[in-house]
Amino acid sequence: MAAPVNIVVGSHVWVEDPVEAWIDGEVSRINGLEVHVRTTKGKTVVANISKVFPQDTEAPPGGVDDMTKLSYLHEPGVLQNLAARYELNEIYTYTGNILIAINPFQRLPHLYDTHMMEQYKGAGFGELSPHVFAVADVAYRAMINEGKSNSILVSGESGAGKTETTKMLMRYLAHLGGRSGVEGRTVEQQVLEVSNPVLEAFGNAKTVRNNNSSRFGKFVEIQFDKSGRISGAAVRTYLLERSRVCQISTPERNYHCFYLLCAAPPEEIDRYKLRNPRSFHYLNQSDCYELDGVNDGHEYLATRRAMDIVGISEQEQDAIFRVVAAILHLGNINFAKGEEIDSSVIKDEQSRFHLNMTAELLKCDAQSLEDALIKRVMVTPEEIITRTLDPVNAVGSRDALAKTIYSRLFDWLVDKINNSIGQDPNSKSIIGVLDIYGFESFKSNSFEQFCINYTNEKLQQHFNQHVFKMEQEEYTKEEINWSYIEFVDNQDVLDLIEKKPGGIISLLDEACMFPKSTHETFAQKLYQTFKNNKRFIKPKLSRTDFTISHYAGEVNYQANLFLDKNKDYVVAEHQALLTASKCSFVVSLFPPLPEETSKSSKFSSIGSRFKLQLQSLMETLSATEPHYIRCVKPNNVLKPAIFENANIIQQLRCGGVLEAIRISCAGYPTRRTFYEFLHRFGVLAPEVLEGNYDDKTACIMILDKKGLKGYQVGKTKVFLRAGQMAELDARRAEVLGNAARTIQRQIRTYIARKEFISLRKAAIMMQSYWRGKMACKLFEQLRREAAALKIQKNLRRYVSRKSYLTVRASAITLQTGLRAMTARNEFRFRKQTKAAIIIQAHWRCYQAYSYYKSLQKAVIVTQCGWRCRVARRELRKLKMASRETGALKEAKDKLEKRVEELTWRLQLEKRLRVDLEEAKSQETAKLQETLHAMQLQIEEANAMVVREREAARKAIEEAPPVIKETPVIVQDTEKVDSLTAEVERLKASLIAQTQSAEEAKQASAAAQAQNEELTRKLGDAEKKVDQLQDSVQRLEEKLSNLESENQVLRQQALAISPTAKALSARPKTPILQRTPENGNILNGEAKKSLDSSLALSTPREPESEEKPQKSLNEKQQENQDLLIKCISQDLGFSGGRPIAACLIYKSLLQWRSFEVERTSVFDRIIQTISAAIEVHDNNDALSYWLCNSATLLLLLQSTLKASGAASLTPQRRRSTSASLFGRMSQGLRASPQSAGFSFLNGRVLGGLDDLRQVEAKYPALLFKQQLTAFLEKIYGMIRDNLKKEISPLLGLCIQAPRTSRASLVKGRSQANAVAQQALIAHWQSIVKSLNNYLKIMRANHVPPFLVRKVFTQIFSFINVQLFNSLLLRRECCSFSNGEFVKTGLAELENWCHEATEEYAGSAWDELKHIRQAVGFLVIHQKPKKTLKEITNDLCPVLSIQQLYRISTMYWDDKYGTHSVSSEVISSMRVLMTEDSNNAVSSSFLLDDDSSIPFTVDDISKTMRQIEVSDIDPPPLIRENSGFSFLLPRAE
């Protein structure tokens, strides 16, 4: 991470902070090498320019998923990227092919469910969002494809989530190569849930940093067979920290098992004579005895339960804890000086008690144990010498025995666990998961930390080599020169520790072998040997400490206890003592040693043994292809949403992540594709973009123009050295700054001009207002003058008009009287004319009706005569038929009775109809009479008025001339008035009569309308009743069929029993056998014709009678062969109906195959269909048989009825089939060979099926079930073929292809058109596939219902694939990509419209998730949207988890806009937390539904009934006499 040289005033940078590790700010001043930075928190920091790093201001707010994509690859950039992703619950991040996993300390079930596993299955590394599944998938694919074992190294400190990560790795591997374990437990459960509690109890302890630290390395081998399925597993343990058994320090604890045993139930404590942990020397060296939040008593019981599951018996468990208790008692044995020089004895009675308890628990002799602790046997050539040890060496012997026993016990437990899991010795491929302790650096570091850090140095070297190898592969792939790049190696540290001779471990072993050595002499030896080593540092104020500069930093070690903790002995006396134990378990821990090693004690170095085990581990890892996962603990309080920068930086250093970054920085830390480089730095050379150069040449021209040296240009990327990205950004910032100043200048000019124009506009408006006021005054004066003139004019007009209206009213009165008289005369004439016309019309109607009735009567007489003649002719034919076969005599009688009954019923209906018509005519006549009477009254009233007027007129004429006699005038006037009043009264009476007549007409019309309405309602009610009766009948028949099918199947199952052999010996039921129970009446010659078939049931009949039956069976077999041969060809369609299905149905119905107990024709048909669809990708054949299967199933569904269902059939259906016509059809079906009734075959097949159902036997019901299964299979094959065809296209459709560089320059309309065409090419390919499948299915007449189901499921599949890919790939959640997908969805919508609803159905609605997600991506002003608007209006279908995922992953690559506001994000997070607490599934992925979305009943309801009677048979069977029933018959 070299210091940048392009830091200028105004640059955004990172500076170190003692609390936050790194803090961002802006450079305010630069003085030489000092940089003044104003941080975002308001304070000013002064730092050296070498400690300041540039900040990428254009980094996505949600971070990048691979930190090699960072513009600036340095510590603060890495930390900021991890923090940004962690805030969004994106806990996984790549660094190249290294996965960094940050513990979220909360449940995130959506990240680990089965949907997520399916998404990562087979996906390329880096194609989807970072995930632990991606690492496991890469390892698995590499193992399968290359045949090489792989390993996954999971590292991190305790609490970082190593165990959980390992569990997820193994879950995914079990998902890929699934194999169930013992007792229903998977391998993952065996290894983690069963073995972990046991191994943690005996291998974990509290350390300075965490409470449950693994003090051993665990390498879990998942073993696979040749086919890639899990065949076994094994747990390999390395580097157990043996010295912890005897030596611990505050605040650490010994191994958990010691404390668990001390917290065991009281009876077990008494049995082992245990007390408080404070009373045992191996436990009381530290002040820590208990862990917060941990109950050792409960943990002890849990460990015992885990041992039970592993398979450790009660006796073995007791022996294990006896050994653990013996180690505790052994540590309390103290020694004192003996009487002899350099001798020792048991110190006191308390020590003697513990000695005896140890011997009792180990079941060995107490004296032998004492001798083994304080005596040694030396074998010389001359003699065997026994010597005693001094107290110090006796304590060493005691501790060596304790460590040996404990390490052997731990190894035994591991072997037991491996035996329980089950290993595969023949496995050639493994995937290993290494879970080992991480780098440790405390205030006080001893021998344990030295060994652990040595292990991590070794693993870091392996890691560095892998990272450098990946860098080399990247450079080689891009074909750039990398020979001068130096490899960052830590071999010098490893030489310092392990080199022989002269390494620290060698010097430590040498010091341990000299009795006089002390920790001071050892430290001095180190100082002298490594005084010139740059990795070794001697502290100034200490005589025994030393410091090693590790890859993760300097660690200061205290050498005080190095010698004691390194000493270990393989003591022959200990071996002999425990081998002689009476406890078989203890003996099994110590198998006999070879002869040469069993006679003397031998010094053994823990450090050397540690080194050998580490070499073994490295050899195992070197033989595999490594993959790395670095687990990080974000905080020490173990709570979610807390990101402690300093803590994480330290873990990244210890995990080697920053070391890997240093390796990248040594080469080319910044890599950009040509498109990204031009998109970011094209502004530095606009003329290059406008030129006609390819991307690579354009990139080189930009770099050369800016004078950069040392960069490399590969095949697809630009590789920049450290600091060059900052230099280019500085140049880019300068260009953008100049552009910004130009924009500001233009804006200021615009603002000034706008202000000037507004002032000028205001002045003009003031002038206009004043001129307006002057004009208003002038206008008011003119308006007053005009008003005066208008008033005068209107007054004159009013006077004139009033005079005119008076004259006009007088004239109108005179005209009205004259016109009224004329109108009354006209009305009288027209009324008389109309009455005459009505009388004429009625008379002509009567004449026509009489003539029609006479013609009708003549026609009926003629028809009856002709029908009688035809009937007599038919009767003669029937009599002739009855003389030939007497089988229908009874039927004829009943037919005649039925004809008489129908004739009587017809006459009755005629009488009723005549009565009804007479009643209606009488009612109409009454109404007409009433109307006529009213008309007569009106006419009389009119006549009376006329007479009165005539009388008045005559009276006036006859009156004498008027003489001056006033009384006469008065009398005449009164008479005229009385006459006028009479006329008015008559007029009123006439009007009243007219109204009553109209009301009567209206009442009659209303009554007639009401009568018609009631008649219509009655008809509707009858139809509804019929429909309900039919529905009830169908339900009852369906129920009876199901019950009967179940009964038949149960009977068939009972028949398949040991008694089947006896049944098989019986003769088979003949195919043509008929019985009265089957609905046939066997009498007369019909019974005689079937005697031969009935004779088969009697074994004593002569052999000659079996020949006719054999010939019939042979004929039947030939017909079946011909049918199978025919349907195996493509017969095509007739009027949209599949010929093959109709042919099969008619043949099976004719042969009565549905009603026989045994037949092979069904199996042969099924085999033919199966053979026809063997080629899975022949969609034409699949569609052809899909149509045939659906049609045949529809016909069977409407015909077949399970035997035994007749009792549940409604009475109406039974009465129908019991009629003469129904019995005739049954009789005709019973004997198809009868020549007398062959003419009815066509009618029976075509029209009688809906009147009669066949009682099917077991083979027919089984055939129906098999046909249903084949229909579903063919449907699924067509659907899956289409899915397979469009799946590769969907992968190309989810992400818009990047536009070429030409589209970055304005004015390239042609290039844009070409790019736009390329964008929708993949969508058009999908539409082409849809059209192709639709065309095939329509050509094969597949029922539209099934076509709709296919496309509905396909669109659902498209919705799932696009939506899941959108949520798993951040680069897809962009604005431009949303526009691209929206364009493609418009293509699909257009296809749905063209395909019509008949075939597309509701397919478009299945895309609701991706449509709403894309709609959310392309809307503007997202920060202004509230959560309610988003969830209710924009995306009502999407869940909170899905919206949160899209909102946090969204980035605008087109306009640079932001996603939704932080308040909305916070609200979403709260809702997600509530859902998590309520145990609601929080998966944001969709699941593809591959089920069959329909039933047989759905097909029956949606398909139209098929008419099979007029199907023309194919030429192959048309001429065959056995298939004559297939030929269409004349009516």
Side-chain angles (χ1 to χ4, degrees), residues 154-213:
V154 183
S155 63
E157 65 178 52
S158 214
K162 295 194 301 295
T163 301
E164 198 66 24
T165 300
T166 304
K167 185 184 296 184
M168 295 307 163
L169 285 170
M170 298 184 65
R171 271 188 60 200
Y172 186 77
L173 292 175
H175 177 73
L176 293 179
R179 163 247 192 187
S180 296
V182 183
E183 298 177 4
R185 291 187 299 276
T186 62
V187 172
E188 166 229 345
Q189 292 171 327
Q190 286 276 312
V191 174
L192 295 169
E193 299 176 13
V194 176
S195 64
N196 259 11
V198 179
L199 291 179
E200 285 184 1
F202 288 86
N204 286 26
K206 181 188 182 305
T207 60
V208 175
R209 190 159 290 174
N210 53 72
N211 295 342
N212 190 30
S213 176

Side-chain angles (χ1 to χ4, degrees), residues 13 83 184 202 218 361 366 386 427 498 510 543 569 730 763 781 815 953 959 1277 1291 1347 1357 1435:
V13 296
F202 288 86
K218 180 171 65 178
L361 292 170
T386 302
S427 175
E498 68 179 5
E510 183 181 332
R543 299 183 60 188
Y569 294 91
Q781 182 180 356
Q815 291 173 354
R953 186 174 60 79
M1277 290 165 67
V1347 179
F1357 172 74
C1435 308

Side-chain angles (χ1 to χ4, degrees), residues 1000-1047:
K1001 284 184 179 181
Q1002 291 177 359
S1004 175
Q1008 189 172 358
Q1010 187 175 5
N1011 189 15
E1012 292 176 355
E1013 180 68 18
L1014 291 174
T1015 305
R1016 186 181 60 80
K1017 288 183 178 180
L1018 179 60
D1020 294 341
E1022 289 178 352
K1023 290 180 181 179
K1024 289 181 179 179
V1025 169
D1026 291 339
Q1027 291 174 358
L1028 290 174
Q1029 288 178 350
D1030 290 340
S1031 300
V1032 171
Q1033 178 180 342
R1034 285 197 300 271
L1035 291 174
E1036 290 177 347
E1037 289 178 354
K1038 186 175 179 181
L1039 178 62
S1040 65
N1041 286 339
L1042 291 175
E1043 292 178 350
S1044 301
E1045 287 182 15
N1046 290 336
Q1047 182 177 359

Side-chain angles (χ1 to χ4, degrees), residues 61-74:
V64 296
D65 54 8
D66 189 347
M67 288 193 287
T68 58
K69 298 178 183 177
L70 290 174
S71 299
Y72 303 111
L73 193 59
H74 45 50

Side-chain angles (χ1 to χ4, degrees), residues 94 119-130 133-135 137-138 141 1369:
Y94 291 134
Q119 292 296 324
Y120 281 89
K121 188 174 180 180
F125 188 79
E127 181 180 335
L128 303 180
S129 299
F133 292 160
V135 178
D137 191 78
V138 168
R141 301 297 165 194
R1369 297 165 62 180

Side-chain angles (χ1 to χ4, degrees), residues 1072 1074 1082-1094 1108-1109 1112 1230-1234:
L1072 296 176
R1074 305 289 181 259
L1082 298 180
N1083 50 22
E1085 293 185 10
K1087 186 176 294 186
K1088 294 178 183 179
S1089 65
L1090 297 179
D1091 282 344
S1092 59
S1093 62
L1094 293 172
Q1109 182 60 40
L1112 285 175
S1231 42
Q1233 292 83 6
S1234 301

